[in-house]
Amino acid sequence: MSDDERGEEKELDLSSPEVVTKYKSAAEIVNKALQLVLSECKPKAKIVDICEKGDSYIREQTGNMYKNVKKKIERGVAFPTCLSVNNTVCHYSPLASDETVLEEGDILKIDMGCHIDGFIAVVGHTHVLQQGPVTGRAADAIAAANTAAEVALRLVKPGKKNQDVTEAIQKVAAAYDCKIVEGVLSHQLKQFVIDGNKVVLSVSNPETRVDDAEFEENEVYAIDIVTSTGEGKPRLLDEKQTTIYKRAVDKSYHLKMKASRFIFSEINQKFPIMPFSARALEEKRARLGLVECVNHELLQPYPVLHEKPGDFVAHIKFTVLLMPNGSDRITSHTFQELQTTTNKTVDDPEIKAWLALPVKTKKKGGGKKKKGKRAEKGEGEAMDVEATNGGGQD
């Protein structure tokens, strides 16, 4: 294959029906994987076992697809299953030796991704490990994330700018007395690219700047929203908790240690492009070898970050296709019933106006109806503001 042909192949987008099908197939698998992971979340269940089940399900389901095609199609886990509990913000996917278990009342943030032929669908969801409605500040954080996600879905569309989304989601979080967590990036997705150059920043500040960008038709985005009842300034407490890495394909270095060279060779063979969990590597050797690889920037780490103990943190991530007939949110999950403190509702007229925007621009050609009606409320119609608070869901 010539470089020109390869270049053309990389630029495949949603104007190709086959590409849309691959995105939606990956989404269907990751939505079901999320459902499976949620069903495994019970008090005293080991976090590592749940994460492994999520990854195994994605590997099995993608492995059953495109078996008999002439050209090999890469497929599998696009982001390892993470299960971050309570004030842990993200990226917690422990090694096999870890004994941490879930407890009744834990707030769980689940984050995972699947790809077919490099076309990636990611999903993130928050669930409280309890019976009955979620109340108090935990409910505020989840409702804030949910409403912010609904607003973002309506603003990530051709003609709008990334800054519009950044400003809007902060305003939504403030309505629930919550903060959008700093340092979270929503990336454009492309074939085999999970962190595209077009980015939506969670919070604008002098230390973190991104280029202004305008959304365009036929683009795909992973919209990533994390809310907190705390300061929204998470910290890295222990580098040893980091287990997820991605090969930095533009970096090279001659590693000195034998263990590092062995691990790096294994990574290049098994995980040349997508993020992976160190669980998939031989543990003792990995601990030694990964340090040198990270120090010389051959690997990009995904650190485990924390808010302060007692802070409630919620996470929602969804994949959206900017189709000619409007935005198509292809990953999601239904929420538990939420009872926010003093039944907080969104009274801000600007937020109400955003939620009233349609998601689809035309009635025809809207594609299949989603199964998760409650989570997908607003596909093609205005969003009921009360529904974002959990009390008005049908």
Side-chain angles (χ1 to χ4, degrees), residues 79 90-91 194-195 241-246 275 300-304:
F79 199 85
C90 56
H91 303 149
I194 200 166
D195 51 2
Q241 284 189 322
T242 303
T243 60
I244 296 175
Y245 303 89
K246 183 172 82 73
Q300 172 193 327
Y302 288 81
V304 178

Side-chain angles (χ1 to χ4, degrees), residues 94-111:
L95 298 175
S97 56
D98 190 280
E99 297 291 330
T100 312
V101 298
L102 299 180
E103 301 291 354
E104 182 78 23
D106 280 349
I107 300 182
L108 318 176
K109 277 84 63 187
I110 300 161
D111 183 9

Side-chain angles (χ1 to χ4, degrees), residues 7-8 54 66 73 95 98 126 159 224 233 237 291 312 320:
E8 279 173 28
Y66 297 101
I73 288 184
L95 298 175
D98 190 280
T126 300
D224 206 346
K233 298 181 185 218
L237 298 182
V291 174
F312 296 108
V320 59

Side-chain angles (χ1 to χ4, degrees), residues 151-376:
V151 167
L153 175 62
R154 286 155 176 77
L155 294 181
V156 178
K157 61 182 186 183
K160 291 284 188 185
K161 294 192 166 58
N162 54 354
Q163 191 60 37
D164 299 335
V165 180
T166 303
E167 290 167 6
I169 62 173
Q170 286 177 80
K171 195 164 190 176
V172 170
Y176 293 91
D177 292 335
C178 292
K179 291 267 178 48
I180 294 288
V181 170
E182 292 183 9
V184 178
L185 300 176
S186 297
H187 285 276
Q188 184 184 4
L189 300 173
K190 292 185 172 184
Q191 189 181 22
F192 291 110
V193 180
I194 200 166
D195 51 2
N197 291 332
K198 275 193 177 181
V199 171
V200 179
L201 203 53
S202 57
V203 178
S204 298
N205 59 37
E207 296 90 59
T208 322
R209 299 191 68 81
V210 297
D211 292 338
D212 289 340
E214 188 173 300
F215 305 114
E216 295 174 48
E217 195 173 288
N218 292 325
E219 290 181 337
V220 182
Y221 286 88
I223 302 302
D224 206 346
I225 292 170
V226 185
T227 53
S228 173
T229 58
E231 292 177 2
K233 298 181 185 218
R235 291 174 303 150
L236 172 66
L237 298 182
D238 183 2
E239 281 184 11
K240 288 191 182 124
Q241 284 189 322
T242 303
T243 60
I244 296 175
Y245 303 89
K246 183 172 82 73
R247 170 84 172 91
V249 288
D250 55 338
K251 303 281 190 209
S252 60
Y253 173 79
H254 184 68
L255 293 160
K256 304 289 188 287
M257 287 170 55
K258 188 176 178 183
S260 308
R261 290 197 299 273
F262 179 88
I263 285 295
F264 192 60
S265 169
E266 188 180 353
I267 290 165
N268 276 333
Q269 284 170 13
K270 289 184 180 175
F271 313 106
I273 298 166
M274 297 292 178
F276 63 92
S277 164
R279 243 191 346 268
L281 308 170
E282 200 276 308
E283 194 165 325
K284 276 190 180 173
R285 202 174 244 166
R287 280 188 192 278
L288 281 169
L290 287 169
V291 174
E292 191 182 8
C293 294
V294 171
N295 287 346
H296 294 284
E297 299 182 346
L298 296 178
L299 297 176
Q300 172 193 327
Y302 288 81
V304 178
L305 300 176
H306 303 264
E307 280 277 71
K308 288 179 179 161
D311 291 343
F312 296 108
V313 180
H315 181 200
I316 294 176
K317 186 190 285 189
F318 64 89
T319 306
V320 59
L321 313 182
L322 304 193
M323 304 294 287
N325 66 325
S327 300
D328 193 353
R329 176 178 176 168
I330 57 171
T331 59
S332 67
H333 195 280
T334 311
F335 284 91
Q336 294 160 286
E337 187 185 340
L338 306 174
Q339 292 176 358
T340 54
T341 56
T342 64
N343 283 324
K344 284 182 192 301
T345 55
V346 178
D347 294 320
D348 185 291
E350 193 173 18
I351 297 173
K352 282 186 169 179
W354 288 325
L355 290 169
L357 293 170
V359 178
K360 292 275 191 265
T361 52
K362 299 174 194 153
K363 288 290 181 195
K364 61 182 181 180
K368 292 187 295 187
K369 283 281 181 208
K370 306 284 184 304
K371 287 178 186 167
K373 280 184 186 166
R374 282 164 64 186
E376 292 296 333

Side-chain angles (χ1 to χ4, degrees), residues 377-388:
K377 198 172 179 71
E379 282 287 345
E381 64 208 44
M383 177 74 187
D384 175 4
V385 179
E386 295 301 320
T388 62

Side-chain angles (χ1 to χ4, degrees), residues 67-84:
K67 274 180 168 175
N68 303 317
V69 292
K70 286 180 184 173
K71 182 188 160 204
K72 189 189 173 197
I73 288 184
E74 298 288 336
R75 57 213 191 275
V77 174
F79 199 85
T81 304
C82 300
L83 185 46
S84 306

